[in-house]
Amino acid sequence: MTTATEAGAPWLIVGLGNPGPEYAANRHNVGFMVADLLAERIGGKFKRAQKAQAQVVEGRIGPPGPANRRVILAKPMSYMNLSGGPVTALRDFYKVPTAHVVAVHDELDIDYGTLRLKLGGGDNGHNGLKSMTKAMGPDYHRLRFGIGRPPGRMQVADFVLKDFSSTERKELDFLVDRAADAVECLVTEGLERAQSAYNS
């Protein structure tokens, strides 16, 4: 159950990915893409965080009134498999309850473009989630962005570090936009409402 203190607490929305231009368009970096779009929507620019190896933007999401929420958008700059350190440092610095942390990440086990929101659970072999769960436990929200399984005998590690295909790119902007909508809905209207609107 959400306490009154938690209800007014800020949200930390973490796009998972790898830093550097060579990774920017990779499937593994879809979390960064969603974070970039959310930053654009709130009119902010990512800056280096004082207290963590991450880039952050602070702002507000939602209509004026009780549903308006203070958010910190973050992109860890530590590489995917070390995301837990920067995320935990930001959570502690901004006094964010773990249940108000949202990890936006790529997901192999669901079809391309399918979104799934959930609270808690396992890491399903995802190194970013593995690192976050090790650092602060599993009780944070996740927005899983489906990228599907690799074709043929391609290794998972090669697949996630490749750019989206030309066919996938035709829909990518729309899907990233929808994922950003799902995050906004989660933060302003709660998990059940967001799941019924966006889980497919």
Side-chain angles (χ1 to χ4, degrees):
M1 204 170 100
T2 308
T3 64
T5 322
E6 272 191 358
W11 285 75
L12 174 60
I13 298 159
V14 182
L16 292 180
N18 287 308
E22 68 273 34
Y23 298 107
N26 288 181
R27 292 183 176 93
H28 223 18
N29 270 45
V30 74
F32 275 19
M33 296 173 199
V34 175
D36 285 338
L37 179 58
L38 285 165
E40 206 179 292
R41 288 184 181 185
I42 65 175
K45 281 200 168 31
F46 278 100
K47 297 186 176 76
R48 226 173 97 199
Q50 301 267 308
K51 303 286 176 186
Q53 194 180 353
Q55 291 186 349
V56 294
V57 180
E58 293 180 61
R60 301 194 79 87
I61 281 176
N68 190 263
R69 300 279 182 262
R70 181 173 166 234
V71 296
I72 300 96
L73 305 174
K75 297 192 294 187
M77 292 287 118
S78 56
Y79 290 98
M80 181 70 88
N81 58 353
L82 298 171
S83 302
V87 175
T88 306
L90 292 170
R91 179 199 64 173
D92 294 347
F93 177 71
Y94 288 104
K95 299 182 171 54
V96 176
T98 301
H100 277 210
V101 176
V102 185
V104 183
H105 64 93
D106 58 306
E107 176 62 64
L108 286 157
D109 281 342
I110 50 181
D111 291 340
Y112 174 63
T114 299
L115 300 178
R116 297 269 166 79
L117 288 141
K118 61 185 261 192
L119 173 62
D123 56 57
N124 213 14
H126 192 287
N127 288 331
L129 297 184
K130 203 175 281 185
S131 177
M132 282 179 63
T133 298
K134 189 177 175 190
M136 62 184 189
D139 300 326
Y140 54 90
H141 286 87
R142 301 102 193 275
L143 172 62
R144 304 157 74 202
F145 186 110
I147 59 167
R149 302 294 303 182
R153 293 170 180 237
M154 189 189 287
Q155 294 295 311
V156 163
D158 295 333
F159 179 68
V160 299
L161 292 175
K162 277 200 173 1
D163 291 0
F164 286 100
S165 70
S166 55
T167 310
E168 288 169 336
R169 279 200 299 273
K170 287 176 187 161
E171 283 188 286
L172 186 59
D173 287 350
F174 166 76
L175 295 169
V176 167
D177 197 63
R178 192 164 182 271
D181 290 347
V183 171
E184 291 189 357
C185 185
L186 168 65
V187 167
T188 58
E189 299 185 52
L191 180 60
E192 279 182 36
R193 173 80 188 87
Q195 285 175 325
S196 69
Y198 294 96
N199 278 16
S200 44

